[in-house]
Amino acid sequence: MRDTNREWIFAERPEGEPDMDSFELREGDLPEPRHGELLVRVRYLSVDPYMRGRMRDAESYAEPWSVGDPLQGGVVGEVVESESEAYDAGDLVSGNGTWADYTVLDADNVAPVDPSVADLPAYLGVLGMPGRTAYFGLLDVGDPSPGETVVVSGAAGAVGSVVGQIAKFNGCRVVGFAGSDEKVSWLTDDLGFDAAINYKAVDDYRAALDDAAPDGVDVYFDNVGGPITDAVFTKLNLDARVAVCGQIAHYNDEGVPTGPRKLPQLIAPRAKVQGLLVGDYATRFGQASEQLGSWVASGDLEHRETVVDGLENAPDAFLGLFSGDNIGKQVVGVSEP
Amino acid sequence: MRDTNREWIFAERPEGEPDMDSFELREGDLPEPRHGELLVRVRYLSVDPYMRGRMRDAESYAEPWSVGDPLQGGVVGEVVESESEAYDAGDLVSGNGTWADYTVLDADNVAPVDPSVADLPAYLGVLGMPGRTAYFGLLDVGDPSPGETVVVSGAAGAVGSVVGQIAKFNGCRVVGFAGSDEKVSWLTDDLGFDAAINYKAVDDYRAALDDAAPDGVDVYFDNVGGPITDAVFTKLNLDARVAVCGQIAHYNDEGVPTGPRKLPQLIAPRAKVQGLLVGDYATRFGQASEQLGSWVASGDLEHRETVVDGLENAPDAFLGLFSGDNIGKQVVGVSEP
């Protein structure tokens, strides 16, 4: 065990696209767990697009970060000191900590991690918050029926890749938008998507959808926004459902972005568009985790993580989300066993 | 009974705002009802904003009008010749006919009209399609609870004025947007709205809403779109519901209008936005008519119709909808008893 701790501090609110000025790596003493807490050596930490929202000084669903505070996020790690009867040193757990070598977690809010089901990074992706977001967003908001067409943007990301596969389990035609040929191949060759569109190689998204979704769109699971979403909205079928999970194309916008108005497009198909936050389903997380774990254990649900090694590279891993560097879940490898 | 019939023909598809070039009044023989049909002398005919959509050569929920065909719409009139056992000459009925002195209605698709409950024009408004739209749109899509704030755009129109009153019956705080001081007075003094905003006299809709809806917006019933809707979307509360009934601000737009993107605004409040067409509730029209008729008969539900007299003035009455000439339901008086 190190006798000092490195921790990333939120140094400055970004305007537009964030850069390294927002991050400062500080070295200090190891934190001390209080009663009911665990000192955890971080093995992997999660960087997620929603964190861009926490960099704004504006009330939203996740509390804004204060300048000078440690950056927070999901972690998987090993308990090195326990002040709780529920866990012992050596246990592997996941929870919400800080971007650090060592972090303190509240024992009531961690979950045990079983490395025999999946490698540790998966507990920040398919078996973590992104997997649960896909599960509830698709099944509860999207509510797909067999034979329907489901379109997913950000399809090769942590959430989208799970959405598409669950839609296939439900007998749907599944079309994904992703940002490279490698991602498109992964979706169609490995994950069973019926079609995938490399939006960086295609000019006319609407024409691409005419081919990929010839029967129109019944469910749209949106992680992205922008021109992809504009095209999908022109193809909504009667009673279509849209789950608005993320809008990464707009997270770095200053001011309110503009684009084609969508409300006039909703009337004819009587489409339903709904914002989605996974926290609303907290009472059913157990159900989701059990189902997702079972699919992963059986090999039916594929998953992939992009690991950037080294705590010092955590900001780069975060910034890379906005250029689509990741395939599947982006995580940072902080320490080895 | 006249021995000739005047009928408005759809003469030309408009671009942008329609004008008289789209309308041609033709004189011809009286139509002849076939088996199961009624020849009806039109007393009042309905002009509605949605008809602008039928002037486009584009597939939508209502079949596009063909150039050269009679204009169609809701009518109330008196049966002058019946080829159905269900109705006799002299009966008053409402149904979907043409903009004409005399029109033929299918007896299976008309409803009897009872002038002791309300004057005939009301059967094209509060007791017709607009009233049912308000009823189902507010109660099924908006789903308001006592104490919630309901905002209505186009609040002094045929649909909006009913929406607001039903919301009051349900114990809500009700705020309307309308386009004149006279309309605002009608809403607040006669219909019981808690507040109303003359959008033609106010620059900052968001600031006006801060005053009128200090607790934010739980339900938004949108007939209008445009900058009013842009402002309301910045005030949506957690679990807000938006019923998109109409978008009259955009009906004359050529191409797809642009404006502030709304999907990013839906995530934090987990708001639900849904397109609405009253035809989807056809199996429950009886329930709605009974309830609306009972409210009207008791005087609890106020209604108002703006009558333009003379079939020759029907296009003017229609065009006036886009400048907000009407208070309550706009109808055309075609004949006297």
Side-chain angles (χ1 to χ4, degrees):
Chain A
M1 191 158 107
R2 298 170 61 106
D3 54 6
T4 61
N5 190 32
R6 294 176 303 163
E7 190 166 53
W8 281 102
I9 303 297
F10 182 45
E12 182 183 298
R13 293 200 190 282
E15 288 191 18
E17 198 172 332
D19 59 24
M20 285 305 296
D21 289 346
S22 289
F23 303 91
E24 184 193 332
L25 191 61
R26 276 201 202 145
E27 194 143 349
D29 292 337
L30 284 185
E32 285 186 22
R34 291 173 300 188
H35 181 70
E37 293 181 337
L38 312 170
L39 178 65
V40 169
R41 185 166 69 106
V42 177
R43 296 277 297 279
Y44 294 93
L45 74 85
S46 179
V47 288
D48 301 275
Y50 82 87
M51 293 170 172
R52 179 61 182 85
R54 302 192 69 176
M55 293 182 163
R56 291 181 195 277
D57 188 17
E59 202 187 331
S60 186
Y61 52 91
E63 202 187 340
W65 282 327
S66 298
V67 169
D69 277 1
L71 294 163
Q72 298 170 295
V75 301
V76 172
E78 182 187 336
V79 176
V80 290
E81 191 182 328
S82 175
E83 297 296 332
S84 157
E85 293 186 352
Y87 295 93
D88 296 318
D91 287 349
L92 293 168
V93 296
S94 67
N96 281 306
T98 54
W99 296 20
D101 292 309
Y102 293 87
T103 193
V104 167
L105 302 181
D106 178 359
D108 287 343
N109 291 310
V110 303
V113 161
D114 179 355
S116 74
V117 173
D119 287 345
L120 269 50
Y123 283 88
L124 297 174
V126 64
L127 298 178
M129 183 271 287
R132 291 190 291 265
T133 301
Y135 181 88
F136 291 110
L138 179 69
L139 297 178
D140 274 55
V141 180
D143 192 21
S145 296
E148 288 192 322
T149 297
V150 175
V151 174
V152 192
S153 61
V159 176
S161 57
V162 178
V163 167
Q165 292 181 84
I166 300 178
K168 286 304 301 177
F169 301 161
N170 280 269
C172 298
R173 176 176 181 83
V174 177
V175 177
F177 280 90
S180 73
D181 288 340
E182 184 187 359
K183 290 176 181 178
V184 161
S185 298
W186 183 50
L187 297 177
T188 53
D189 298 348
D190 296 338
L191 303 194
F193 280 51
D194 297 283
I197 298 163
N198 177 355
Y199 71 88
K200 291 185 178 169
V202 162
D203 287 328
D204 186 340
Y205 302 159
R206 160 82 197 202
L209 274 173
D210 287 341
D211 288 339
D215 298 328
V217 178
D218 300 296
V219 176
Y220 177 42
F221 193 105
D222 190 13
N223 295 301
V224 174
I228 292 171
T229 295
D230 299 340
V232 176
F233 266 68
T234 68
K235 300 272 296 177
L236 296 179
N237 287 338
L238 185 66
D239 293 325
R241 290 130 272 152
V242 177
V244 186
C245 176
Q247 296 276 285
I248 195 171
H250 304 297
Y251 289 169
N252 292 331
D253 288 339
E254 291 295 317
V256 179
T258 59
R261 286 185 179 275
K262 296 190 169 49
L263 268 53
Q265 299 172 318
L266 300 183
I267 299 176
R270 288 83 109 182
K272 186 176 78 177
V273 183
Q274 193 167 354
L276 159 70
L277 278 184
V278 69
D280 293 338
Y281 300 90
T283 58
R284 294 162 55 200
F285 278 178
Q287 164 201 335
S289 295
E290 192 172 329
Q291 177 65 79
L292 290 160
S294 152
W295 280 328
V296 166
S298 68
D300 291 328
L301 183 60
E302 306 252 357
H303 59 98
R304 191 160 157 181
E305 295 83 28
T306 299
V307 182
V308 164
D309 274 319
L311 178 64
E312 61 279 11
N313 296 316
D316 279 336
F318 171 71
L319 298 174
L321 294 170
F322 298 95
S323 40
D325 292 354
N326 55 307
I327 298 189
K329 178 70 182 103
Q330 179 69 58
V331 300
V332 178
V334 177
S335 66
E336 305 268 331
Chain B
M1 191 158 110
R2 297 170 61 107
D3 55 6
T4 59
N5 189 32
R6 294 175 304 163
E7 190 167 54
W8 281 102
I9 303 297
F10 183 45
E12 183 183 299
R13 293 199 191 283
E15 288 192 18
E17 199 172 332
D19 60 23
M20 286 303 297
D21 290 345
S22 289
F23 302 90
E24 184 192 332
L25 190 61
R26 277 201 201 145
E27 194 142 350
D29 293 337
L30 283 184
E32 286 185 22
R34 290 173 300 188
H35 181 70
E37 291 182 337
L38 312 170
L39 178 64
V40 169
R41 186 166 69 106
V42 176
R43 296 277 297 278
Y44 294 93
L45 74 84
S46 180
V47 290
D48 301 276
Y50 81 87
M51 294 171 171
R52 179 62 182 83
R54 301 193 69 178
M55 294 182 161
R56 290 182 195 275
D57 188 17
E59 203 187 331
S60 186
Y61 52 92
E63 203 187 339
W65 282 327
S66 297
V67 169
D69 279 0
L71 293 163
Q72 297 170 293
V75 300
V76 171
E78 181 188 337
V79 176
V80 291
E81 191 183 327
S82 174
E83 297 295 332
S84 158
E85 293 186 352
Y87 295 94
D88 296 318
D91 286 351
L92 293 169
V93 296
S94 67
N96 282 305
T98 54
W99 295 20
D101 292 308
Y102 293 87
T103 194
V104 167
L105 303 181
D106 177 0
D108 286 345
N109 290 312
V110 302
V113 161
D114 179 355
S116 74
V117 173
D119 288 343
L120 269 51
Y123 283 88
L124 297 173
V126 63
L127 298 178
M129 183 270 287
R132 293 191 290 267
T133 301
Y135 182 88
F136 292 111
L138 179 68
L139 297 178
D140 273 57
V141 180
D143 192 21
S145 296
E148 288 192 321
T149 296
V150 175
V151 174
V152 191
S153 60
V159 176
S161 57
V162 179
V163 167
Q165 292 180 83
I166 300 178
K168 286 304 301 177
F169 301 161
N170 280 268
C172 299
R173 176 176 179 83
V174 176
V175 178
F177 280 90
S180 74
D181 288 341
E182 185 187 358
K183 291 177 180 177
V184 161
S185 298
W186 183 50
L187 297 177
T188 54
D189 298 347
D190 296 338
L191 303 194
F193 280 53
D194 297 283
I197 298 163
N198 177 355
Y199 70 89
K200 291 185 178 169
V202 162
D203 287 329
D204 186 340
Y205 302 158
R206 160 82 198 201
L209 275 173
D210 286 343
D211 288 339
D215 298 328
V217 178
D218 300 296
V219 175
Y220 178 41
F221 193 106
D222 190 13
N223 296 300
V224 174
I228 293 171
T229 296
D230 298 341
V232 176
F233 266 68
T234 67
K235 299 272 296 177
L236 296 179
N237 285 339
L238 186 64
D239 293 326
R241 291 130 270 151
V242 177
V244 186
C245 176
Q247 294 278 283
I248 194 171
H250 304 298
Y251 289 169
N252 292 330
D253 289 340
E254 291 295 317
V256 178
T258 59
R261 288 186 178 275
K262 296 190 169 49
L263 269 52
Q265 299 172 319
L266 300 183
I267 299 177
R270 288 81 111 181
K272 185 176 79 178
V273 183
Q274 194 165 354
L276 160 67
L277 279 184
V278 69
D280 293 339
Y281 301 91
T283 58
R284 292 162 56 201
F285 278 178
Q287 165 201 333
S289 295
E290 191 172 330
Q291 178 65 78
L292 290 160
S294 151
W295 280 328
V296 167
S298 67
D300 290 330
L301 184 60
E302 306 252 358
H303 60 97
R304 190 161 157 180
E305 296 82 27
T306 298
V307 182
V308 165
D309 275 319
L311 178 63
E312 61 280 11
N313 296 317
D316 279 336
F318 171 72
L319 298 174
L321 294 169
F322 298 94
S323 41
D325 292 354
N326 56 306
I327 298 188
K329 178 68 183 106
Q330 178 69 56
V331 300
V332 178
V334 177
S335 66
E336 305 269 331

